[in-house]
Amino acid sequence: MAGVAGPGTGQGAAGGDGDDSLYPIAVLIDELRNEDVQLRLNSIKKLSTIALALGVERTRTELLPFLTDTIYDEDEVLLALAEQLGNFTGLVGGPDFAHCLLPPLESLATVEETVVRDKAVESLRQISQEHTPVALEAHFVPLVKRLASGDWFTSRTSACGLFSVCYPRASHAVKAEIRQHFRSLCSDDTPMVRRAAASKLGEFAKVLELDSVKSEIVPLFTNLASDEQDSVRLLAVEACVSIAQLLSEDDLEALVMPTLRQAAEDKSWRVRYMVADKFSELQKAVGPKITLNDLIPAFQNLLKDCEAEVRAAAAHKVKELCENLPMEGRETIIMNQILPYIKELVSDTNQHVKSALASVIMGLSTILGKGNTIEHLLPLFLAQLKDECPEVRLNIISNLDCVNEVIGIRQLSQSLLPAIVELAEDAKWRVRLAIIEYMPLLAGQLGVEFFDEKLNSLCMAWLVDHVHAIREAATHNLMKLVQKFGKEWAQNTIVPKVLVMANDPNYLHRMTTLFCINALSEACGQEITTKQMLPVVLKMARDQVANVRFNVAKSLQKIGPILDTDALQEEVKPVLQKLGQDEDVDVKYFAQEAISVLALA
Amino acid sequence: MAGAGGGGCPAGGNDLQWCFSQVKGAVDEDVAEADVISTVEFSHSGDLLATGDKGGRVVIFQREQENKSRPHSRGEYNVYSTFQSHEPEFDYLKSLEIEEKINKIRWLPQQSAAHFLLSTNDKTIKLWKISERDKRAEGYNLKDEDGRLRDPFRITALRVPILKPMDLMVEASPRRIFANAHTYHINSISVNSDHETYLSADDLRINLWHLEITDRSFNIVDIKPANMEELTEVITAAEFHPHQCNVLVYSSSKGTIRLCDMRSSALCDRHSKFFEEPEDPSSRSFFSEIISSVSDVKFSHSGRYMMTRDYLSVKVWDLNMESRPVETHQVHEYLRSKLCSLYENDCIFDKFECCWNGSDSAIMTGSYNNFFRMFDRTTWRDVTLEASRENSKPRASLKPRRVCAGGKRKKDEVSVDSLDFSKKILHTAWHPAENIIAVAATNNLYIFQDKAN
């Protein structure tokens, strides 16, 4: 709808004698100032409707000035306003008038609330593209300069995000000014502004001429990377990724690497953490040669950092780092320069480090191939499967598929089983839940024989767990297993055991039978459902516990579509009718619901 | 070390001549508990002064602009905004009442036309925005200016509201609430020099917060023993270094101060410096441990020194020397012989705070009988002054007071036995750039300034 009203139709948009059509707009305008935040918010969200009704001229001369001063409102209202204005160009008369949107967005770009400022900057960036080059220099660039030299840090931080959008389209002279403004923000007094500048440094570097990158951005980067504030230095690491992509290898070595090396050994663990966290990006940005000479030694240090947070971040990157090494010589590098450090981490003192490693270590097997995996990695996997921390064991088990492709799971199965059994009986139900979720995967990889022999009893035991979430997950697990191993297997191994529980003295276990039937009936098909399951369900309609009875009704509703018409009419219908007369309201309700859904009335 | 009790220096020895400026609060003799001031803090520019009280209220005073007709008046502090920061609460899970009392207020560096401050009670920290509004929107479509509804069918044109100037209105709005992170009582909050994080300390733990994130904080210090029966000390105060974003200190009930470096590791359980003065075995007594407990710790503005207050003295430490303080000033040494009765009336557990002047050349801390003490660090002179209404004529000089420790009482001296221990000055603040001080005496806030101009 934006953009329809051209400049010529301005006044006419709200004209005519259609008072009815004005009323809703009048309400919307009045509600811009309602006491209730929600109503103000709704009204702001329909700002385009108001603007359309007012026409482009009144929008420019009345609505926008009003909005420019409406910066006292709640954050969520301002946020919505900042967002709306980004799409408002059509409503103020098209690109020729896009600059009219700058004043309200400028005032929003100076509020204290970060989310609002960020949204205003986002909208300003959007609108900058709609300015003609002339308008850009006449209106947009002055705005950026005003913000960049504003009294409060809020406006200066906002300016940081706007340089890169106006720079490419500005004239030569203006470009120099823009660079000058950016430079001064990089050495601003307040750390907030330096942080904003550091976080936009990479983005700004990308739109600069290569010479300026070398002569201006690199010194700024070097300064920010040695700022006294840790929070500024760590952002410089991120900028490093973008800057590195722009420079040749020689320039990189001379201009950026000294700073990066320094960051990897920074006194503050937060900066080293950032290097570890951005390692893959850095690796890609600096290319293979520098990676081998510089990054690998740095990575080794990060893997044995004194701060566990740093080791964990580095451990997370092990697989990606190895994957991204050049194919030639990759195996040797990993075996000689990475693996020794990984071996140390397997017995780290910190469980987060071990669990971070466990989540990626299996991925190395595809990179290293069968021989190395069996000889070097397998002992590590086995050690981790016996780790005292359940998270580590779980992470290994959840990534078994990687190893399976390389060496097959059999190599592991002897150690796997005790690990699984232990997790399956862990005192924390969340741990039990996690291992249940991996069961279908394990079953698929270990095969039906191994499963029947070792794991089947576990799966059945979970059905009678004292935590409902576990019983529920166990039910779902059975369905997945049946999908994997087929009906016949279900009929022989699962269904009989499930049905026996229908006679359990504990009503919760009897209900589990019903839940299992709900889950399994579709996978098992009509024959098994009709012959084996249905009789049990029908029998349970006489249960003395109401919860069981109404679950019978729900189960019948669920399995009804699988049964044939005879069974439905002759067996299900009478039972549901009887339940429909039950003394318990819930039973009655669900029975009647089932009757109507199955169309048995 | 320093002239003990002010005996050695002449009356009015402090080079500054302090005079009365203002007093805030009710004159009544019977004081409502809720009105008792529990914290005082100047903003970074000194233009605003905030107080918190036991009733959970925060009162902000603003310094009036220079008055042209009275060129010598340097601007008084008048009420700018008053708001209820905290309400009494009840923790139903632990059956605990949570008092509304404001334990600490800390201003954020000014970042926009509005001002921000953090206020905390025992459990919850709140970030407040204090802003001004001087425009009001006018003009509705559906009603007239006097509020009468218009006939919806007679609306023939749309009106966009316009903004008109109005009387200045100051609003305080809660921007963030940082809750549920402290099991024990919060005693300190301190904003980091990075302007994006702050710490909060309770008896056993220190947490690090991001000012924009309320649902997550990081525990950086935890001194809680696995078995609470082994508990021997608690954290009494904590503060960030004014310039180094990675350095913080915390003091303990055993009289020691630990300095931590957040750069070296994520958990600051291992301190990097440990400040402790060796105990003099000859003065050891039953009360030694209680009176050595540090009640406040404050970095100097320069960041080179820190000051700690214990029950009887205030000490200045050089951050580069851990073995002993570089200065020890006795605040009220004459009480050493009264510790027994101070223990019985619980006064010995009073938590006196201390503060630096803007240039770090003088320090101030409170005492009993509405007395407060100032120590000049360059001349080693000290003075005892009294916050009282008796001499509360504008620009009247404050007369130095002296306490007679024993022997024959001289004229103008106050005997130790006649000190009023219910009138205690726990909270004081010094303007960051000028010689203006704010002294909280129970429910009254006194503002004094030097006579220089």
Side-chain angles (χ1 to χ4, degrees):
Chain A
M1 68 207 222
V4 228
T9 59
Q11 295 286 20
D17 50 359
D19 294 346
D20 293 355
S21 67
L22 283 186
Y23 180 71
I25 307 291
V27 172
L28 276 181
I29 294 177
D30 285 3
E31 283 185 352
L32 285 172
R33 295 154 56 199
N34 198 290
E35 296 275 306
D36 184 346
V37 185
Q38 195 53 47
L39 290 178
R40 290 205 301 276
L41 191 59
N42 291 343
S43 202
I44 283 284
K45 285 184 172 161
K46 292 192 183 119
L47 206 56
S48 54
T49 312
I50 298 176
L52 207 57
L54 288 171
V56 294
E57 197 169 320
R58 291 193 69 193
T59 299
R60 290 199 301 265
T61 55
E62 292 179 48
L63 185 61
L64 291 181
F66 169 69
L67 295 175
T68 304
D69 284 323
T70 316
I71 51 165
Y72 302 108
D73 215 323
E74 301 281 329
D75 304 335
E76 47 184 333
V77 178
L78 297 182
L79 182 68
L81 176 59
E83 188 172 5
Q84 291 285 314
L85 292 175
N87 301 313
F88 236 60
T89 309
L91 295 161
V92 294
D96 288 347
F97 295 94
H99 60 87
C100 298
L101 295 170
L102 299 182
L105 284 170
E106 180 176 354
S107 65
L108 288 170
T110 60
V111 301
E112 296 87 9
E113 199 53 51
T114 313
V115 282
V116 177
R117 280 204 313 275
D118 288 351
K119 187 56 87 180
V121 168
E122 196 184 314
S123 288
L124 280 170
R125 288 168 69 113
Q126 210 171 321
I127 286 173
S128 74
Q129 305 305 327
E130 286 157 353
H131 281 67
T132 60
V134 178
L136 195 79
E137 284 203 10
H139 302 286
F140 199 86
V141 173
L143 158 93
V144 176
K145 289 191 212 161
R146 266 199 311 280
L147 288 173
S149 47
D151 283 343
W152 304 116
F153 94 88
T154 46
S155 83
R156 301 199 299 278
T157 51
S158 291
C160 292
L162 297 174
F163 292 114
S164 64
V165 290
C166 49
Y167 190 84
R169 299 170 63 208
S171 70
H172 194 70
V174 173
K175 278 186 176 177
E177 279 184 77
I178 294 178
R179 290 201 304 272
Q180 174 56 39
H181 275 288
F182 191 81
R183 266 206 304 280
S184 59
L185 292 183
C186 284
S187 52
D188 197 275
D189 285 343
T190 68
M192 287 84 108
V193 177
R194 296 203 301 279
R195 276 197 293 275
S199 67
K200 300 293 177 190
L201 185 67
E203 175 189 291
F204 190 52
K206 281 185 190 161
V207 299
L208 251 60
E209 300 76 16
L210 187 59
D211 282 346
S212 307
V213 172
K214 280 196 240 175
S215 64
E216 295 189 35
I217 294 291
V218 168
L220 293 177
F221 164 69
T222 314
N223 279 341
L224 291 170
S226 51
D227 197 279
E228 57 168 14
Q229 291 285 341
D230 299 357
S231 53
V232 176
R233 290 204 306 284
L234 61 87
L235 288 171
V237 174
E238 243 178 317
C240 186
V241 175
S242 312
I243 297 172
Q245 286 167 344
L246 304 171
L247 299 175
S248 71
E249 204 167 86
D250 289 344
D251 286 336
L252 206 54
E253 181 61 55
L255 300 173
V256 175
M257 287 316 293
T259 310
L260 183 58
R261 278 182 213 119
Q262 188 190 315
E265 289 168 5
D266 197 283
K267 268 189 180 166
S268 168
W269 69 270
R270 287 169 68 198
V271 177
R272 300 197 302 274
Y273 173 92
M274 205 64 174
V275 175
D277 194 48
K278 299 278 164 214
F279 213 86
S280 305
E281 288 93 328
L282 287 168
Q283 186 189 1
K284 281 180 201 154
V286 299
K289 194 173 146 214
I290 295 178
T291 299
L292 292 188
N293 294 339
D294 272 292
L295 291 194
I296 300 275
F299 193 70
Q300 292 169 341
N301 286 334
L302 294 172
L303 285 178
K304 58 184 171 80
D305 197 279
C306 58
E307 172 56 47
E309 298 278 346
V310 178
R311 293 201 300 279
H316 260 301
K317 301 290 165 182
V318 162
K319 182 189 157 206
E320 260 183 278
L321 171 98
C322 295
E323 252 173 3
N324 295 334
L325 288 171
M327 286 302 279
E328 193 186 333
R330 179 163 84 174
E331 197 180 308
T332 332
I333 298 167
I334 298 175
M335 295 304 296
N336 297 335
Q337 302 194 43
I338 307 286
L339 201 61
Y341 293 88
I342 294 180
K343 283 182 181 163
E344 298 272 305
L345 286 190
V346 169
S347 48
D348 199 279
T349 47
N350 184 296
Q351 68 174 59
H352 298 293
V353 176
K354 288 189 289 188
S355 110
L357 182 68
S359 67
V360 295
I361 190 173
M362 309 291 267
L364 291 181
S365 45
T366 32
I367 303 171
L368 288 177
K370 189 170 179 180
N372 284 327
T373 303
I374 293 176
E375 196 182 335
H376 298 284
L377 293 180
L378 198 57
L380 303 182
F381 300 159
L382 296 177
Q384 285 175 306
L385 275 175
K386 295 193 188 91
D387 199 280
E388 59 187 4
C389 162
E391 193 120 330
V392 175
R393 283 174 268 151
L394 263 180
N395 280 349
I396 290 292
I397 289 172
S398 61
N399 287 300
L400 277 176
D401 47 339
C402 315
V403 201
N404 198 18
E405 292 161 18
V406 184
I407 57 168
I409 213 160
R410 288 281 165 187
Q411 298 270 8
L412 275 174
S413 53
Q414 284 313 310
S415 307
L416 208 47
L417 194 66
I420 294 172
V421 172
E422 208 174 308
L423 288 170
E425 289 161 358
D426 197 284
K428 295 195 185 73
W429 69 267
R430 285 176 201 280
V431 174
R432 300 202 295 276
L433 186 64
I435 189 71
I436 293 175
E437 280 162 9
Y438 293 119
M439 267 300 152
L441 182 82
L442 284 171
Q445 288 172 358
L446 292 166
V448 69
E449 264 171 58
F450 186 91
F451 184 88
D452 279 346
E453 198 180 314
K454 316 276 188 189
L455 299 180
N456 196 0
S457 53
L458 281 181
C459 292
M460 300 317 288
W462 282 321
L463 286 175
V464 292
D465 197 284
H466 61 273
V467 175
H468 178 257
I470 298 294
R471 297 197 299 271
E472 194 180 18
T475 314
H476 189 72
N477 173 44
L478 286 186
M479 181 183 83
K480 288 277 183 65
L481 291 174
V482 173
Q483 283 169 352
K484 206 152 242 153
F485 293 151
K487 298 181 204 179
E488 208 165 306
W489 176 81
Q491 192 172 7
N492 294 330
T493 51
I494 300 282
V495 176
K497 289 183 187 169
V498 167
L499 296 183
V500 165
M501 280 166 49
N503 301 318
D504 198 288
N506 185 335
Y507 87 97
L508 291 171
H509 296 171
R510 298 202 293 278
M511 291 216 296
T512 305
T513 300
L514 290 172
F515 297 146
C516 285
I517 288 173
N518 294 348
L520 294 178
S521 58
E522 199 173 329
C524 287
Q526 193 184 49
E527 199 188 326
I528 299 176
T529 308
T530 316
K531 290 207 174 132
Q532 301 192 9
M533 297 179 178
L534 184 61
V536 175
V537 179
L538 295 175
K539 197 175 134 218
M540 289 170 84
R542 296 192 296 271
D543 201 289
Q544 75 272 27
V545 178
N547 290 35
V548 177
R549 294 200 301 277
F550 78 63
N551 273 296
V552 164
K554 284 162 101 176
S555 287
L556 287 174
Q557 180 182 333
K558 175 91 179 131
I559 65 174
I562 303 165
L563 304 171
D564 61 25
T565 338
D566 284 354
L568 270 180
Q569 288 297 336
E570 285 161 30
E571 301 184 61
V572 176
K573 191 176 170 180
V575 171
L576 279 177
Q577 278 171 337
K578 185 160 172 266
L579 287 176
Q581 309 296 321
D582 201 279
E583 61 197 19
D584 185 280
V585 280
D586 292 321
V587 178
K588 249 194 248 181
Y589 173 82
F590 286 109
Q592 275 152 12
E593 189 180 75
I595 288 171
S596 75
V597 169
L598 296 173
L600 294 176
Chain B
M1 299 166 76
C9 65
N14 225 317
D15 295 323
L16 288 173
Q17 186 70 60
W18 289 93
C19 61
F20 176 86
S21 173
Q22 286 175 277
V23 58
K24 311 281 182 190
V27 196
D28 290 2
E29 271 302 301
D30 47 332
V31 176
E33 181 73 4
D35 294 336
V36 175
I37 297 172
S38 53
T39 181
V40 185
E41 185 83 2
F42 275 104
S43 70
H44 295 267
S45 66
D47 289 341
L48 298 177
L49 172 64
T51 62
D53 65 25
K54 288 195 171 173
R57 282 161 305 195
V58 171
V59 181
I60 296 169
F61 302 93
Q62 185 187 40
R63 199 176 179 190
E64 294 302 313
Q65 296 302 311
E66 297 274 338
N67 192 335
K68 289 238 172 63
S69 60
R70 283 164 54 206
H72 290 293
S73 134
R74 284 182 303 167
E76 299 196 321
Y77 283 84
N78 289 326
V79 174
Y80 181 60
S81 173
T82 304
F83 57 93
Q84 188 75 34
S85 171
H86 286 73
E87 301 273 358
E89 283 177 86
F90 191 79
D91 181 337
Y92 293 95
L93 290 176
K94 298 198 184 109
S95 273
L96 274 180
E97 275 184 67
I98 303 169
E99 281 183 70
E100 66 273 34
K101 177 187 155 218
I102 309 293
N103 291 344
K104 279 286 184 307
I105 290 176
R106 286 289 175 270
W107 291 91
L108 267 58
Q110 197 181 1
Q111 46 187 348
S112 65
H115 297 267
F116 286 79
L117 62 79
L118 288 168
S119 63
T120 186
N121 67 351
D122 285 341
K123 298 285 175 193
T124 306
I125 305 146
K126 294 184 181 179
L127 175 67
W128 290 89
K129 173 183 173 180
I130 296 100
S131 56
E132 296 181 354
R133 177 188 285 213
D134 58 0
K135 286 193 189 117
R136 195 165 58 98
E138 278 180 12
Y140 282 99
N141 286 294
L142 302 183
K143 55 187 178 193
D144 292 321
E145 286 315 311
D146 52 13
R148 260 181 316 170
L149 286 181
R150 283 191 199 140
D151 180 358
F153 296 104
R154 287 180 42 221
I155 295 171
T156 51
L158 292 173
R159 286 177 73 182
V160 177
I162 38 176
L163 290 154
K164 294 268 175 67
M166 63 162 190
D167 289 344
L168 185 71
M169 202 167 88
V170 180
E171 291 174 319
S173 48
R175 306 300 286 183
R176 307 259 189 279
I177 294 173
F178 306 90
N180 306 323
H182 284 279
T183 316
Y184 305 96
H185 290 179
I186 299 174
N187 54 47
S188 310
I189 44 178
S190 173
V191 181
N192 191 288
S193 62
D194 67 10
H195 299 184
E196 74 173 353
T197 54
Y198 74 91
L199 66 76
S200 58
D202 68 23
D203 298 335
L204 296 177
R205 297 191 179 103
I206 301 178
N207 292 333
L208 180 69
W209 301 83
H210 192 289
L211 279 163
E212 299 200 342
I213 300 169
T214 57
D215 61 354
R216 188 171 62 211
S217 73
F218 297 95
N219 178 239
I220 49 175
V221 174
D222 188 348
I223 64 164
K224 184 173 184 248
N227 178 1
M228 277 299 261
E229 279 168 20
E230 292 161 17
L231 184 71
T232 56
E233 67 178 325
V234 295
I235 298 169
T236 52
E239 195 181 41
F240 269 124
H241 190 280
H243 316 301
Q244 292 167 11
C245 61
N246 52 310
V247 173
L248 67 100
V249 291
Y250 65 92
S251 58
S252 92
S253 55
K254 278 189 166 168
T256 60
I257 307 105
R258 289 174 176 83
L259 183 141
C260 300
D261 183 352
M262 298 203 301
R263 276 183 188 164
S264 55
S265 74
L267 283 175
C268 298
D269 286 345
R270 279 165 302 168
H271 53 264
S272 52
K273 290 190 180 183
F274 184 69
F275 298 85
E276 185 180 30
E277 185 170 33
E279 193 189 20
D280 177 5
S282 64
S283 65
R284 175 138 193 93
S285 75
F286 172 73
F287 302 109
S288 295
E289 192 165 324
I290 304 176
I291 62 168
S292 68
S293 174
V294 175
S295 53
D296 195 16
V297 57
K298 291 267 169 62
F299 276 107
S300 65
H301 295 87
S302 68
R304 165 89 191 263
Y305 302 100
M306 64 180 171
M307 162 169 57
T308 57
R309 170 72 208 256
D310 53 47
Y311 192 60
L312 293 180
S313 68
V314 56
K315 294 171 181 164
V316 176
W317 304 75
D318 186 327
L319 291 193
N320 300 315
M321 186 163 77
E322 296 164 59
S323 55
R324 61 189 165 81
V326 288
E327 292 166 30
T328 301
H329 303 280
Q330 303 304 335
V331 177
H332 36 216
E333 185 63 16
Y334 44 78
L335 295 181
R336 195 176 284 278
S337 56
K338 302 273 167 204
L339 292 177
C340 221
S341 52
L342 291 165
Y343 180 76
E344 274 162 20
N345 65 11
D346 272 353
C347 279
I348 202 167
F349 300 106
D350 283 336
K351 293 190 78 180
F352 290 99
E353 293 172 7
C354 50
C355 64
W356 299 84
N357 74 342
S359 61
D360 298 337
S361 63
I363 54 185
M364 170 170 60
T365 190
S367 177
Y368 292 103
N369 206 44
N370 273 358
F371 286 175
F372 58 98
R373 303 265 289 144
M374 277 189 205
F375 305 90
D376 187 307
R377 297 182 57 222
T378 40
T379 60
W380 285 89
R381 290 194 247 195
D382 64 290
V383 65
T384 305
L385 299 171
E386 183 182 3
S388 95
R389 282 185 184 268
E390 276 162 35
N391 198 9
S392 59
K393 283 197 292 289
R395 304 182 60 75
S397 294
L398 292 191
K399 220 167 60 176
R401 312 303 300 235
R402 282 203 265 169
V403 178
C404 160
K408 201 161 169 262
R409 188 164 70 89
K410 294 191 208 106
K411 196 171 155 254
D412 285 351
E413 280 190 345
V414 186
S415 136
V416 179
D417 295 319
S418 62
L419 293 177
D420 185 342
F421 289 101
S422 69
K423 290 181 174 169
K424 39 191 122 181
I425 292 188
L426 302 175
H427 316 282
T428 59
W430 203 315
H431 188 289
E434 293 176 43
N435 281 321
I436 298 174
I437 54 171
V439 174
T442 319
N443 63 330
N444 286 311
L445 180 73
Y446 287 86
I447 297 172
F448 303 109
Q449 51 183 316
D450 71 15
K451 210 159 192 178
N453 46 12

